[in-house]
Amino acid sequence: MAAHIGRRLRKGAATTAVAAAAVAALSASQAPGATVDDQGRQNTGDATSAPDTAADDSATGNSPYYTDLPPLNSPAPSPSAGSGEAGDRSAAEAGIPATVLDAYKKAEAALREKKAGCNLPWQLLAAIGKVESGQARGGRVTADGTTVTPILGPQLDGNGFALIRDTDNGAYDGNRMYDQAVGPMQFIPSTWSWAGRDGNGDGRKDPNNIYDAALAAGHYLCRFDWDLSEPGDLRKAILSYNNSTEYLNTVLSWLEYYRKGTHEIPDGTGALPEDRSDARPGVTPSAPGTTPPARPGTRPGKPSGSRPSPRPSAPGTGSPSAPPTTPLPSTPPTPTDTVHHLEDAGTGTLTAMAGHTFAERISTRAETEAGKAVAKVRIRFTIVGDTDTTFAGGESVATVTTDASGVAVAPALQAGEKTGAFAVQAAVAGRSVKGVPYKVTVTQRVADALTRVGEKELTCVAGGEFAEPVVVKATYGGEAAGKVAVTAKLVTSADDPAENDKGPYFKDADGKAIRTLTGLRTGPDGQLTLPKLYADGTAGTFLLRLTTAGGATLEVELTVEPAATPSPDPDPSADPDPSTDPSTEPSETPAA
């Protein structure tokens, strides 16, 4: 016992020292103006003043997390790391299970391609995975990355934790009354429903799969155009995952530790963390991987009161009476609980050209049954339908808190390239109340002006080819109009738009003459260079008409000059000299 206590004390001193050193290093290298207190905790202005994150709007629902700090030894294994119990444990704490490490690195590679500006390091995923689940419970995963047993956080019933009522009908967490954080990255079901990703290519989005969960965590951390190489954005991203300064400091400690290097260990051999943020007097947390105990009078997954508790036996009946139970304190209703319905708050027509930002933004009002505004309610806006339109940061979901007037204004929509109609659904985060659908339309790119680039005359000789290419520029509202559809057609005349059957022509892929080109598009700068033009044997002046989506028109004049006619070589037999040709001499008339 004494030896065990001694090990715990030494570990406590070591981890405190590591925390102080790691956070101090991060303060110096990443967070200008940040300070570290005497317990190694980082104090940053951004951390404490970050936007208030409602539990049901964070990735984890602000669920409990592991507070174990990095060991003092180097992340890389030392020659003596495998000798003795302490060495084995230290190596296991420092290492990352092979499949889990592979998932983090593949997620980083995917985000480097999809959202290069985010600069997501895999070490950040490893740091979050460490504090959320101890690297999937020490790497206890199958070959495809799925956890051997489900990893569940405690039910978020407001009893020592956040209050988040069931949002998935128990699909992910098996609990139809309250939500629980699920999987190695501890997503709550309401977040996974829109943030989930398929990271291992099996066609499923499984929060219990480390490849899926790591990729989802990467996308979650990279939303809102955050650049994680910037200290401020890094802190915001971590706090959005779990809104706690202590959580931030713990993740930063492991991030700094893994950045110094780490090593791969076999799956299932990682050390299990010991200390949880909810390990305090009066709270008995459920260990991840186990189902939390049901509250008195309830069964997991069933509403309270669905099965009544046994009544105490009456005195004198011979049966022992059940001990009296202390009633649970009633939870006061939150603003979210008081919302009866949502109303549109004066949103105008939602139409924008492909590739442009919508001028109109969606506004939604949360109201009680009596029509009174409800402030501080999270409204989730979800893009629904076949479209590549997104909110800022490339996300299809945005959550905004209602203001004092009960109104939440969604971020501006950024139109993609797919045209047509789709919808944005406004709903209350964490509640099943009637939402508001908004119709959105993306129209094709257009130009209102088309001009020729260059002033050189476009000429060639009959039977030749034009040396100068035709270059045009499309604009809309005076700005370059990129990706605008253009049609080029050689017409009969300015008054006759029919296709000409003679004169200049283009060539198709088989080298045949064609005089109408469709499917052309301007570049990002609005410019378009047409394919080479050729001329048949007909000389004259011809017109090339270009039109764009939106009605802009330009006519370009083309001149084909006659081919020079070579002089024939002299041929005495064909062109005799009249001075020597006897047949041309005057005949003599006999004298009378």
Side-chain angles (χ1 to χ4, degrees), residues 446-529:
V446 299
D448 56 16
L450 192 62
T451 57
R452 185 185 163 210
V453 177
E455 298 179 355
K456 189 174 181 180
E457 292 185 1
L458 300 170
T459 63
C460 78
V461 297
E465 59 185 51
F466 288 81
E468 189 77 12
V470 178
V471 183
V472 297
K473 182 174 182 178
T475 56
Y476 182 79
E479 301 291 333
K483 300 182 181 180
V484 173
V486 179
T487 298
K489 183 178 181 181
L490 290 148
V491 298
T492 302
S493 68
D495 299 324
D496 187 354
E499 181 180 281
N500 208 336
D501 59 357
K502 57 179 178 288
Y505 60 90
F506 300 104
K507 287 184 179 180
D508 63 12
D510 298 325
K512 296 180 180 179
I514 56 173
R515 291 186 168 85
T516 300
L517 293 178
T518 58
L520 303 173
R521 286 193 179 273
T522 60
D525 59 356
Q527 291 196 19
L528 170 67
T529 299

Side-chain angles (χ1 to χ4, degrees), residues 97-494:
T99 299
V100 178
L101 180 60
D102 183 57
Y104 295 149
K105 291 185 175 180
K106 285 186 176 178
E108 179 199 55
L111 268 297
R112 190 184 305 124
E113 178 181 349
K114 295 290 185 181
K115 295 184 179 180
C118 177
N119 295 305
L120 171 78
W122 66 261
Q123 292 91 340
L124 176 58
L125 297 176
I128 291 176
K130 181 70 175 180
V131 303
E132 291 297 347
S133 68
Q135 310 297 18
R137 302 294 288 161
R140 287 160 177 77
V141 295
T142 60
D144 70 347
T146 302
T147 57
V148 175
T149 57
I151 299 176
L152 296 174
Q155 66 179 13
L156 301 173
D157 58 5
N159 184 25
F161 309 112
L163 174 61
I164 305 179
R165 294 185 175 87
D166 176 58
T167 61
D168 66 329
N169 199 30
Y172 294 116
D173 54 15
N175 191 332
R176 296 184 180 181
M177 191 168 184
Y178 299 101
D179 272 352
Q180 296 172 235
V182 182
M185 302 304 277
Q186 290 288 277
F187 279 96
I188 55 173
S190 58
T191 301
W192 183 262
S193 66
W194 60 266
R197 295 292 193 279
D198 176 16
N200 61 353
D202 64 355
R204 299 175 61 235
K205 299 176 182 179
D206 183 3
N208 294 297
N209 183 280
I210 185 59
Y211 288 99
D212 294 359
L215 183 60
H219 277 277
Y220 185 91
L221 294 165
C222 287
R223 69 200 195 288
F224 303 136
D225 285 332
W226 281 334
D227 178 357
L228 302 185
S229 65
E230 294 290 333
D233 282 358
L234 174 65
R235 291 193 293 274
K236 291 175 185 176
I238 295 172
L239 286 168
S240 77
Y241 212 89
N242 192 316
N243 193 25
S244 160
T245 304
E246 290 75 13
Y247 179 88
L248 169 70
N249 293 334
T250 305
V251 170
L252 289 176
S253 296
W254 282 104
L255 171 59
E256 179 68 11
Y257 182 75
Y258 287 136
R259 275 177 167 164
K260 293 177 181 176
T262 187
H263 61 281
E264 179 183 297
I265 59 175
D267 289 345
T269 64
L272 299 180
E274 299 176 353
D275 301 318
R276 289 251 301 221
S277 61
D278 56 349
R280 59 183 183 272
V283 177
T284 305
S286 303
T290 65
T291 302
R295 294 176 63 180
T298 67
R299 294 179 61 190
K302 299 219 175 203
S304 176
S306 61
R307 185 171 183 175
S309 302
R311 292 184 178 180
S313 300
T317 61
S319 301
S321 299
T325 58
T326 303
L328 293 173
S330 60
T331 304
T334 65
T336 300
D337 294 329
T338 66
V339 178
H340 177 266
H341 61 272
L342 298 180
E343 293 284 348
D344 174 44
T347 306
T349 303
L350 295 165
T351 302
M353 189 190 308
H356 288 64
T357 301
F358 282 75
E360 186 73 16
R361 294 169 65 177
I362 298 173
S363 297
T364 303
R365 176 181 163 96
E367 296 182 353
T368 65
E369 187 173 8
K372 183 179 178 181
V374 185
K376 297 183 179 180
V377 173
R378 294 275 168 162
I379 305 300
R380 180 166 290 136
F381 300 94
T382 305
I383 297 174
V384 181
D386 183 18
T387 181
D388 54 354
T389 295
T390 63
F391 291 111
E395 297 296 335
S396 60
V397 176
T399 306
V400 182
T401 303
T402 57
D403 58 19
S405 62
V407 174
V409 180
L413 286 163
Q414 178 65 42
E417 294 303 321
K418 288 185 179 180
T419 59
F422 59 95
V424 173
Q425 183 73 31
V428 178
R431 283 287 310 281
S432 297
V433 300
K434 186 178 179 180
V436 180
Y438 293 87
K439 182 180 178 181
V440 186
T441 304
V442 176
T443 60
Q444 66 176 334
R445 291 175 180 261
V446 299
D448 56 16
L450 192 62
T451 57
R452 185 185 163 210
V453 177
E455 298 179 355
K456 189 174 181 180
E457 292 185 1
L458 300 170
T459 63
C460 78
V461 297
E465 59 185 51
F466 288 81
E468 189 77 12
V470 178
V471 183
V472 297
K473 182 174 182 178
T475 56
Y476 182 79
E479 301 291 333
K483 300 182 181 180
V484 173
V486 179
T487 298
K489 183 178 181 181
L490 290 148
V491 298
T492 302
S493 68

